[in-house]
Amino acid sequence: MRKYSVFALVKEAMRSHKGWEPHWVSPEPRSSYDVIIIGGGGHGLGAAYYLAKEHGITNIAVIERGWLGGGNTGRNTTIIRSNYLYEESMDIYEHSLKLWEGLSQDLNYNVMYSPRGVMMLSHNTHDMQSFKRHINANRLYGIDNEWLTPEQAKAFCPPLDISKTARYPINGAALQKRGGTARHDAVAWGYARAASDRGVHIIQNCEVTGIRRGPSGEVTGVETSRGFIGAKKIGVSAAGHSSVVMQMAGVRVPLTSNPLQALVSEPLKPIFPCVVMSNTVHAYISQSDKGELVIGAGTDQYHSYSQTGGLQIITHTLDAICELFPIFRRVKMMRQWGGITDNTPDRSAIQSVTPVPNLFVNCGWGTGGFKATPGSANLFAHLIARGEPHPLAAGLTLDRFRTGRLIDEAAAAAVAH
Amino acid sequence: MLLIHCPYCGEDRSELEFRWAGEAHIARPDTISAISDDEFAEYFFMRDNTKGIAWERWRHIHGCGRFFNAIRDTVSDKFLLSYKAGLPRQPVPGSEPAAAPAVEGGVA
């Protein structure tokens, strides 16, 4: 792999950029691999990268039904934060945030991580009490999170309307300054490039149609649209389709797949300096480096694989955006799309061994999986390599739905998060 | 937005009047205090999350308020049939001769 640097850029500029190489190679699949990762999103590609980098396993294939990052990795609103309530969540999201901070250097690929601050708006007494509880829990655990008065919130994000007569009045906000955004495509491409450089095979447009099992129940490989491919271990990282893939191995998982929508506006000059979330009125907004306002909406209530959602959901979000930021009332929306999120009953992820030997699953990241990408991938690689979870992810077992040791972020956030 | 047929009201109404209520035909075990943790997890948490034809419960919460069941394709989101709660799992319309008695409420 050719290293990206200012010198490489100058050299290529001198010769009409004829020397750049493809980011990754797409070889013909081998007949078998040590590890197959099903799902070529950020979590799957990242797991392959960390397996190669940290665990010395390089005979790996990442099998993707569509194109890299074409699922939720390329469909989310790129919000990164770690100010969750429970220790299990703080462990994994903070691990992830720390990896985000050095990811561009680690991958030699600019993922455009921008710690511009994530501000969560409080609209009522319940929000205030809940956020202050989060802030205290976070600070005791060594994670930054601070309370802002409405005036401080306005100073941090000038377009915000904090007037008393606003439709959704604001009585404060919680701010995590280290939170922010990154460029989602670059995350998928950066991991793919770095993994490919270490010998990982990236196989796109190849759908897994079955999981083959051996005499003692262990996995032996996958049936795909390009034939059978053997594997000693399989990691499933298929987001909204995780239940579909896991059923191929006869494993039931407690997931519901819901559409989640996002949309972007026409490009504007820089006007919005941070990320603002309002769980209470379901509005999530930031501005991309291209200038588009990136807006996230709520989930549809029913389970679906349609990668689309109801217009009433985004209308509701835009109503809220226009009330919170009256300055945006005349902005035109340019594109809208949906992704399929895999939600667990307690709204915490599952990263776990399964009843099937050598089959591992990383799913249930629901509506907040992008921020977890580096941490989730890093710990999933550990799980696949060692066969047992990393201490930071030890609570995210599939077994918790039997033992009752749930991590109830659903109750903590009161909404999908 | 979905257009949903309520088999009690006999009308096609907008999704705004309804609440999705999960997978249909999951019976609460009669011996709930005696079943194992595995059986409870299976009953309480595990779901088919079907890609394709799914049987599910809906509630006409801003209408008659009643629960009913429906068959929907979760890829196209198209409803194939709505039927009253308490009826057994209905066959997919047009798939095979109906084994169950005729259903009230039509295709939504």
Side-chain angles (χ1 to χ4, degrees), chain A residues 303, chain B residues 20-27 47-48 54-58 68-71 83 87 89:
Chain A
H303 107 259
Chain B
W20 187 73
E23 193 177 321
H25 302 294
I26 295 174
R47 293 294 178 262
D48 286 343
W55 282 257
E56 59 189 7
R57 294 194 311 158
W58 284 84
F68 60 93
N69 294 330
I71 307 175
Y83 55 98
L87 289 174
R89 184 186 293 261

Side-chain angles (χ1 to χ4, degrees), chain A residues 27-108:
Chain A
E28 278 300 305
R30 291 186 194 124
S31 59
S32 77
Y33 292 90
D34 290 341
V35 177
I36 284 180
I37 307 277
I38 302 174
H43 291 235
L45 292 164
Y49 167 69
Y50 290 115
L51 274 169
K53 183 190 172 208
E54 297 183 358
H55 302 281
I57 300 171
T58 55
N59 186 21
I60 304 172
V62 177
I63 300 181
E64 165 57 42
R65 186 177 62 129
W67 65 95
L68 295 192
N72 294 349
T73 299
R75 292 166 184 266
N76 66 86
T77 53
T78 77
I79 297 173
I80 296 168
R81 63 186 180 89
S82 66
N83 51 354
Y84 282 74
L85 182 62
Y86 291 107
E87 291 182 1
E88 293 89 342
S89 310
M90 285 192 275
D91 276 341
I92 195 156
Y93 288 109
E94 180 63 14
H95 179 59
S96 196
L97 187 52
K98 284 178 176 152
L99 288 173
W100 277 116
E101 288 169 341
L103 194 60
S104 293
Q105 289 76 19
D106 185 28
L107 298 179
N108 180 232

Side-chain angles (χ1 to χ4, degrees), chain A residues 40 48 127 145 163 271-272 293 330 359 395:
Chain A
D127 282 353
N145 198 0
S163 61
I271 187 169
F272 204 77
L293 297 176
R330 292 189 183 186
L359 178 69

Side-chain angles (χ1 to χ4, degrees), chain A residues 7 9 21 25 30 59 61 79 86 141 180 193 293 303 309 329 343-344 356 359 370 379-380 404:
Chain A
F7 305 109
L9 196 61
E21 301 162 356
V25 292
R30 291 186 194 124
N59 186 21
I79 297 173
Y86 291 107
Y141 212 64
R193 174 171 170 269
L293 297 176
H303 107 259
R329 279 184 183 166
N343 297 288
T344 56
V356 176
L359 178 69
F370 179 75
L379 302 177
F380 193 40

Side-chain angles (χ1 to χ4, degrees), chain A residues 1 3 9 23 29 54 86 91 111 133 142 183-184 188 274 276 278-279 287 324 344 358 375 380 383 387 401:
Chain A
M1 180 177 77
K3 195 166 162 40
L9 196 61
H23 278 20
E54 297 183 358
Y86 291 107
D91 276 341
V111 299
R133 186 179 170 207
R183 184 175 174 216
H184 44 18
C274 58
V276 172
S278 169
N279 292 344
Q287 187 174 22
L324 294 171
T344 56
N358 296 332
F380 193 40
L383 174 67
F401 297 97

